[in-house]
């Protein structure tokens, strides 16, 4: 009888929590002006875990769904604040310490500057360190931490140390040693950033993380190419005494072999002696000052 009572109590508790999730979803759809910060949360992840009565894995998935929904709604409206993001991620990863996607993707949500994310580097680092402590043999978490230290904190020595530690994890990708070496030699350069984001793209298993890495890589590539093309345009102007009206003039002057294309295959725009991209929204991480 005692076991049956406990089982039914647990089932009712989980059902209530699941129902509250969908009720909250409906509430936010009906009243868009009501934000997640208006909702009272349980004060401690440990309280939530104790209340789960053995269903912590299921609740962790529910809270992770809530993280994604919360971040998506904030991102869609261009919000500059994500107050509930870190607490929600803390609850999700306390309920399931091995929910690796919550550490990797959650740190990305926290790290990116507003309105793309919360712009909270410290919270991102704390979340990833929690993930490493609970999943010491997951080398991808070391890569994520190293990237945050490199791009957001500009702490190249710390990033090098993180990549080196990650390279010692069983079955770690050999490129971590290369990343550690580059941090100690030419850290902060655009070429290093391109190399690191290229590695993230190749290694990421999650489609969203892979797409995020690709956007960073392409944005950096555009920064590099625009700078190079602008130098050629300036050189043409100094030689010809006027701005080029089209890329064909630079081709005729043997400064280019053909019309230059951006990473997505569209021609760069040339106007008034300035080089730009056809669709800036396709490269959301350009000129962020994070190298």
């Amino acid at each position: 009888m005692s076991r049956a009572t406990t089982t039914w109590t647990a089932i009712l508790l989980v059902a209530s929590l699941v129902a509250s999730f969908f009720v909250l979803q409906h509430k936010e759809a009906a009243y868009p002006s009501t934000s997640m910060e208006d909702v009272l949360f349980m004060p401690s992840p440990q309280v939530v875990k104790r209340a789960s009565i053995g269903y912590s894995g299921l609740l962790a998935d529910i809270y992770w769904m809530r993280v994604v929904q919360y971040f998506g709604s904030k991102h869609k409206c261009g919000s500059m604040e994500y107050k509930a993001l870190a607490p929600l991620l803390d609850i999700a990863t306390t309920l399931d310490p091995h929910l690796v996607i919550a550490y990797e993707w959650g740190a990305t949500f926290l790290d990116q500057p507003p309105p793309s994310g919360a712009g909270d580097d410290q919270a991102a680092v704390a979340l990833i360190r929690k993930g490493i402590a609970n999943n010491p043999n997951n080398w991808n978490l070391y890569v994520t931490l190293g990237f945050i230290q490199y791009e957001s904190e500009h702490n190249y020595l710390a990033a090098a140390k993180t990549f080196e530690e990650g390279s010692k994890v069983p079955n770690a990708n050999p490129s971590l040693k290369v990343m550690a070496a580059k941090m100690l030699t030419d850290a902060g350069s655009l070429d290093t950033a391109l190399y690191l984001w290229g590695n993230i793209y190749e290694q990421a298993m999650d489609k969203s993380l892979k797409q995020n890495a690709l956007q960073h890589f392409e944005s950096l590539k555009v920064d590099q190419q625009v700078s190079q093309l602008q130098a050629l345009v300036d050189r043409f102007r100094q030689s010809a005494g006027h701005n080029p009206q089209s890329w064909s003039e630079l081709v005729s002057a043997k400064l280019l072999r053909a019309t230059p294309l951006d990473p997505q295959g569209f021609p760069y725009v040339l106007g008034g002696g300035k080089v730009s991209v056809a669709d800036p929204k396709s490269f959301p991480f350009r000129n962020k000052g994070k190298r």
Side-chain angles (χ1 to χ4, degrees), residues 45-116:
Q46 287 71 29
V47 171
V48 180
K49 188 163 187 174
R50 285 196 298 270
S52 68
I53 317 178
Y55 289 85
S56 57
L58 174 60
L59 288 184
D61 290 339
I62 292 172
Y63 269 98
W64 172 238
M65 289 171 60
R66 191 59 190 135
V67 167
V68 173
Q69 182 191 41
Y70 170 73
F71 177 81
S73 63
K74 287 283 189 177
H75 187 271
K76 184 177 180 180
C77 68
S79 177
M80 301 298 289
E81 290 188 338
Y82 295 76
K83 294 179 181 178
L85 185 57
L88 280 171
L89 284 164
D90 192 25
I91 292 174
T93 54
T94 297
L95 287 167
D96 184 357
H98 306 299
L99 191 60
V100 173
I101 189 175
Y103 296 115
E104 289 188 314
W105 201 221
T108 302
F109 291 163
L110 288 167
D111 177 58
Q112 292 181 159
S116 298

Side-chain angles (χ1 to χ4, degrees), residues 167-268:
S167 71
K168 298 175 183 178
V169 171
N171 302 315
N173 192 300
S175 65
L176 267 74
K177 282 190 173 295
V178 179
M179 291 181 185
K182 291 185 78 66
M183 288 295 98
L184 295 175
T185 55
D186 56 348
S189 72
L190 188 61
D191 287 339
T192 300
L194 283 166
Y195 174 83
L196 295 177
W197 279 116
N199 269 273
I200 280 287
Y201 176 77
E202 294 295 333
Q203 296 163 13
M205 301 299 292
D206 179 74
K207 290 182 179 179
S208 297
L209 284 172
K210 201 173 185 72
Q211 178 63 23
N212 183 266
L214 180 61
Q215 287 183 331
H216 275 89
F217 180 86
E218 290 185 341
S219 295
L220 288 171
K221 195 66 178 175
V222 167
D223 283 342
Q224 183 184 59
Q225 292 176 341
V226 166
S227 178
Q228 293 169 347
L229 291 171
Q230 188 64 56
L232 293 178
V233 170
D234 294 343
R235 181 178 168 186
F236 177 92
R237 181 173 57 251
Q238 291 174 359
S239 175
H242 62 86
N243 288 321
Q245 300 301 308
S246 66
W247 293 116
S248 61
E249 292 188 59
L250 277 80
V251 173
S252 298
K254 297 184 178 180
L255 294 175
L256 287 174
R257 292 182 178 180
T259 298
L261 306 178
D262 68 29
Q264 296 188 4
F266 295 98
Y268 280 101

